[in-house]
Each structure stands twice: as C-alpha cells, then as structure tokens.
Amino acid sequence: MRRFLAVTLVAIAACTASARATSLNAKDFGAKGDGVTLDTAAIQKAIDTVAKTEGTVTFAPGTYLIGSIFVKSNVTLRIDKGVTLLGSQRLSDYPVMPTRIAGIEMSWPAALVNIYKQSNASIDGEGTIDGDGKIFWDSYWSLRKGYEPRGLRWAADYDARRPRLIQIFDSTHVHLGGALSLRRSGFWTVHICYSTDVTVDGVIIRNNEGGRGPSTDGIDIDSSRHILVQHADISVNDDALCLKAGRDSDGLRVNRPTEDVILRDSIVRDGAAVVTIGSETSGGFRNIEAYNLTGLGHVGVGILFKSAHTRGGWAENIRIHDITLTDVPVVFRITMNWNPSYSYAKIPDGITGYPSYWKVLATPVPEDKGRAHFHDVLISNIKATGAKTAFEVDAFPEMRLDHFSFKNLHIEATIAGHISNAKDWTFSDVSLTTADGSVVALSDDSDITGIASREAPPNQCKPNPAMKSSAEQDKN
C-alpha cells in the first residue's frame, strides 16, 4: 500500500509539473523571423512569459534578427532546424553589463544569447545561432593597427568590444546542445564563467566563414566547476576547447579555480589547439580530464599549456588521454612566457584619461606570485602523424614543470623538439620517429627518464618570444 501511494504521489507530481510547463512560440509575441525586423523584444517577452511558470520557447522557421536575449531559469530556448537567430551588427543592441573578459572582471557587451545568473536553463535544437561577426572582427583589427605602434597591443583585446555568441555566467544546471550550429561569433563562441553543473552536448562551431576572426575561441570554461563538454565539432581561429581561470592581479584577487571538468568525444578541424589550459591561469586548475579528441591539419597544436610570469596559479591532477592528431604541426607545447606583447601590460608615459581596467591590467604582480606551478599531469595514448615537432616545452628554472607522466605515445614528426625546465618527468612505451633522426633536446635542469634525449647547448632550448612580431606571438 505504501509503495502504491508513493508511486501515485510521484505520478501526480509529474502530471502537475507537466501541466505547469508551457510551450510558447515567439511569433505569438510579435517576432517576424524575416531577417530584417529586430525581434529582440518579442523573443524576450516570450522568454519572460514562460519563465513565470516553466517551459519552452519555440520558433517558426525563419531568420530572427536579434540583439542580446536572456534565457531565464526553468526555460528552454529551443531552436529547431530551419530556425536561425542572427546577430545584429549594431553594438548598441548588446547591453553593457558586469562580466569577466579575458581574465579580468569588467563591464562588457552582453553575448547574443545569455544565461546570466540563472538555474535550470537550456538552449538546444538543430537550428543555428549566427553572430554575423565580421564587422566586429574588422573593428578589432582597425583598432589594433593604431594601438601597436603606441605600445598598446595588450589593450586592444579589451578596448575593441565584441559580443560573444553565448554567455553562461554565474549559473547552475545549464544544458547547451542538441546539434546546434554556432557560426561567425564576434568574439568567443561559448563562454562558461563562474558556473556549476553545465553540460555542452552536441554543438557544431563554424567561425571561419567569410574570414578568420580574431579570438573566436570555441568553448571557454572560465573559473567554473562540474562541466561536461562532449560531441563538439569545432572550426575556429583561436583556442578550441580552452580552460581559463583569471589574469594577473585581478585573477589572483578572485582566486577561483576551474575544476572537475571533462572534455571528450569531440573533433577540432581548425584552431590554435585541440585542448588548451591558459593563458589565464591565476585561479588554478584541478581534476581536468580530456579524452577521445581528434585534431586535424588546420589545428596548430595538439595539447597546449600557456601562462605568463605575471599570471600565477597552478594546475594539478590533469589527465589527457586517447588523442589522435593528423597533420597537426606541434604535438605538445608548454610555454610559461606566452605572447609578451599581450601578456605584459604597461601604460606608456604621457597617456592619460585611460579606462579604469587599464590600471587593473597593469597592476604589478610580485615575482613570487607570478609563476604558475603545473604539476601532476598524466598524458597517455597519444597518436600523432604528420607532425613537424613533437615537443616545445619551456617554463622557468625557479618554477619547473613538476611530475609529468607520459605513457603510450606514438608520434611521427619531422623533428623531436626540446624540453626545458622539467622536473621528475617519466616516459614509458614511447615511439618517437623523426624524419631527421633527432632526439629530444633537454635543458641542463631537466630531469627526464624513459625517452631518447640529448643535452642541448646553452640557450638552444629557450627561444625569446618577445623577439617575434605581435602577429607571430599570437600564434600560440
């Protein structure tokens, strides 16, 4: 009897919830879907109405021109096949609001589609979210062209305001996916920041259409925890699957790690790297697992860790395994002095009236807090063919890369490359075949066993990235 009563109560609760759930079509609130009329207000009204109970906002087939919209708690935004949400090219259609951008807390235009301080919200379907972002790409390059001769390369990414495609900010229990097509983002495509229990399952990201936009990252996970990303298909012009945790003094102040993250079962066709940790490392990384990932020939690096000597932070318990790379030029790259012209902000003498966030960016970080400490990393089951270089690894003598284990590596590359500043690195079951017959060059402070190597002449292993042009430094 008790069991029957319990089942009955569950059934009644389910029916009540089903009755409460609402499905509303945006056209019933005045959305035109003609690709010309700005439909932001109509769609937002539909979302707000559904949010009073719970349910789904749907769309009739069409192209809906919009600025920023905000998905609320207990609402699903369902974008079916045949539906496109097209981003406005007017920056005024994206309200400026508090967020975090490239590692610092600041006000910035909202994304095209936002889940901002909400819970139990979803964006799914087989339709398209198209940022139409080239106008924002061009505005960035125009501003940067004027900034670089003035020693302001580092400020360009913050002053050239470009809307992200999707922002999930300070939210919990969020789902994004369902074979959504995400195109031509003006800036980062999916930004998950200060959020918990987020699943991204089934997104197709295509940003290199009509050009190659700057900083069009695929999926950025930023000081967030309990995140799952799977079944992603990515073509971008920067990092594809990227973990971040704050920049320099502001990131150290916030001190919020990215942790308990799984990246799996995805393919990267174009981008800076398949999986990236950094360069915003200040808050640290813990319990990260990436596996069953594929990288193809337009991707620059397979596994990329990057930081700077003002970032600080740490990474621990990192597990990356079962990675297949075909014609990816660099298999492993670790650089702790990444992109100096961007990483090290200095306000030139004589400049006044600058925005407050310039001062935040230029706040000095004590040397003892500035070196990131990466340790306890396991990398296994890596198959790479058609590579140019197997290893490009550089840290600092005073903060070496500590306790890395490599197992079951099968790499075919033109050259072996180099490893500097490594402590307690072990290799087992390694097949490294190089076209020039080279073995890995080691700095004199590297402690490595299990792989053929030679001691490199002084300074051979330590290229100075500051000697490269800004464009070359941007290439990770």
Side-chain angles (χ1 to χ4, degrees), residues 330-341:
V330 179
V331 180
F332 303 101
R333 177 179 288 159
I334 303 177
T335 172
M336 297 288 116
N337 187 27
W338 175 74
N339 200 344
S341 65

Side-chain angles (χ1 to χ4, degrees), residues 302-414:
I303 298 167
L304 173 63
F305 300 165
K306 56 183 179 178
S307 187
H309 63 63
T310 53
R311 292 285 190 276
W314 42 270
E316 64 186 22
N317 195 19
I318 310 298
R319 304 177 306 283
I320 301 175
H321 58 94
D322 296 285
I323 310 295
T324 301
L325 306 173
T326 303
D327 298 329
V328 173
V330 179
V331 180
F332 303 101
R333 177 179 288 159
I334 303 177
T335 172
M336 297 288 116
N337 187 27
W338 175 74
N339 200 344
S341 65
Y342 168 80
S343 287
Y344 307 124
K346 182 180 184 302
I347 301 171
D349 294 338
I351 294 182
T352 60
Y354 47 78
S356 60
Y357 56 81
W358 281 26
K359 187 174 181 180
V360 173
L361 286 161
T363 298
V365 173
E367 186 172 330
D368 64 330
K369 296 184 182 298
R371 271 48 168 180
H373 183 205
F374 279 50
H375 63 97
D376 294 288
V377 175
L378 172 61
I379 297 175
S380 61
N381 300 339
I382 310 297
K383 181 179 181 180
T385 57
K388 294 181 179 178
T389 308
F391 296 93
E392 293 181 356
V393 176
D394 299 286
F396 299 106
E398 64 273 22
M399 187 63 76
R400 291 188 287 170
L401 302 159
D402 187 9
H403 195 202
F404 281 50
S405 297
F406 295 82
K407 299 179 180 180
N408 193 25
L409 310 184
H410 296 272
I411 301 171
E412 298 175 8
T414 303

Side-chain angles (χ1 to χ4, degrees), residues 99-101 103-107 169 194 250 253-254 357 360:
T99 185
R100 182 195 249 180
I101 289 294
I104 70 166
E105 292 184 341
M106 62 183 293
S107 293
F169 183 84
Y194 298 167
D250 198 61
R253 174 189 64 82
V254 173
Y357 56 81
V360 173

Side-chain angles (χ1 to χ4, degrees), residues 227-232 241 243 260-268 274-276 287-295 302-303 318-325 378-383:
I227 310 297
L228 170 63
V229 176
Q230 60 185 2
H231 307 133
L241 297 166
L243 308 180
D260 303 321
V261 174
I262 295 175
L263 312 172
R264 67 186 181 196
D265 302 327
S266 297
I267 184 168
V268 180
V274 174
V275 58
T276 302
N287 301 337
I288 310 298
E289 185 173 18
Y291 63 96
N292 289 349
L293 303 177
T294 298
I303 298 167
I318 310 298
R319 304 177 306 283
I320 301 175
H321 58 94
D322 296 285
I323 310 295
T324 301
L325 306 173
L378 172 61
I379 297 175
S380 61
N381 300 339
I382 310 297
K383 181 179 181 180

Side-chain angles (χ1 to χ4, degrees), residues 12 199 204 247 291 340 356 434 438:
I12 291 171
T199 296
I204 302 163
R247 172 174 176 159
Y291 63 96
S356 60
T434 56
S438 62

Side-chain angles (χ1 to χ4, degrees), residues 24 29 40-54 57 69-73 75 77 118:
L24 298 176
F29 292 81
T40 312
I43 295 170
Q44 192 62 57
K45 188 175 181 182
I47 292 170
D48 294 345
T49 301
V50 168
K52 293 174 182 177
T53 53
E54 64 179 81
V57 174
I69 59 174
F70 296 83
V71 181
K72 301 297 181 64
S73 296
V75 172
L77 188 73
Q118 304 296 313

